[in-house]
Amino acid sequence: MAKKKEGWKELPIGAIIVEPGSSRKFKTGDWREGKKPVVDKDKCTNCLFCWISCPDSAIIVKDGEMKGFNLDYCKGCGICFTQCPVNAIEMVDEEKE
Amino acid sequence: MGINLKELSKQEDFFTSGHRACAGCGPAIALRQALLVAGKDTVVSFSTGCMEVVSTIFPYTAWKVPYIHSLFENSAATMSGVEAAYNALKRKGKIKKDINLIAFGGDGGTYDIGLQALSGAMERGHNMLYICYDNQAYMNTGIQRSGATPYGASTTTSPSGKVIPGKTRRRKDLTEIMAAHNIPYAAQASISDWRDYMTKVEKARSIKGPKFIVVFAPCQLGWYYKKEDTIKIADMAVKSRFWPLYEVENGVHKITKDPKKVIPVEDWLKLQGRFRHLFKGENKKIIEEIQREVDMRWERLKKLEEAGL
């Protein structure tokens, strides 16, 4: 990084972090080791078990409906794949669609 | 209030993405689920540990609620101070709304290092909830044994080999220790049974006084299992009765989940690398010992419940 890091004069007192949820600027999607989750929406019943079980809040839900995965943050652990009661989620190789 | 996922999914996460926990982290699930119930009017204190380190790497924070970390041993003491300040501000009319005060700690920071701070806070009767996420060792510093590590588990400071077959001591029964403080609510939960866990958090929130929950949260790195199996491992711990789900409300025990199909502890041990050595040679008798102890503890719990104690 070319940008100079902030010194103690620029940092907030006590190095407190003033922006809530700023970790979202740090994308963890590139941690995946070659596998990503895909959902078959024909099978999905929107039970949201995947959503409640995801350690990285990477399941997108809108109005109570499961809409897919936020691959910016998904670390590819596969918990959603094991928790889906109707086997609608599969882990596939990243290259293939 | 029942737990409704569709309703919950409409609000934002207060423990959000971008934290640097390992893929398939159990404790991260425990935090997310607790915060979903607690909501935005929450103040969190944290003891040093995996989840403290991964969630607040400067200048990033995964928290969307006020968060304070002081030391390893004093999450409960810090929250005691926050509670006193909150009470004072409320008395002066500077704060109007009700705020949830939640202190978090890992098993190292709760079972061992923070035990006296926690004990003190519970005895003084601060109106707070303490949640311990239990991954059964000091994972953050490299899988050292803690007071929560079960008998027979191999860690870097209780390595299995010619000298010892993993940890030679039993784990502490923290829920009973906390129940012995005569607090209004102490409970044991697991991330596999999210409805049970979140109901307990909700219930604890509605009770005034000191509350305590310990939540079982497997660690794929330290327990050596496949990372997608985190919830499966937690589920099997419940089904094998190794980790019974129960609560102690005003001194009365109540089992909140009686597994219909009980599995042998052996099946649960088999999936984890930290118990691999137990399946070789004369170590096999340790598995029998573990099973015996699990059965004994369950019997005890069952009798307590039946007697209304």
Side-chain angles (χ1 to χ4, degrees), chain B residues 53-78:
Chain B
V53 171
V54 301
S55 68
T56 53
I57 295 173
F58 192 82
Y60 302 110
T61 177
W63 298 88
K64 286 186 176 174
V65 293
Y67 167 100
I68 178 168
H69 162 252
S70 173
L71 294 167
F72 208 145
E73 64 274 26
N74 66 359
S75 179
T78 305

Side-chain angles (χ1 to χ4, degrees), chain A residues 18-65:
Chain A
V18 287
E19 190 190 340
S22 56
S23 66
R24 289 185 74 84
K25 289 180 191 159
F26 188 87
K27 307 280 164 75
T28 52
D30 55 358
W31 289 21
R32 283 195 305 282
E33 294 167 324
K35 295 266 188 194
K36 67 172 184 185
V38 286
V39 63
D40 179 351
K41 280 309 285 181
D42 293 337
K43 284 190 195 166
C44 175
T45 58
N46 297 312
C47 67
L48 305 187
F49 287 6
C50 53
W51 172 78
I52 197 69
S53 310
C54 179
D56 293 288
S57 320
I59 312 278
I60 305 164
V61 176
K62 282 220 173 75
D63 302 321
E65 213 176 302

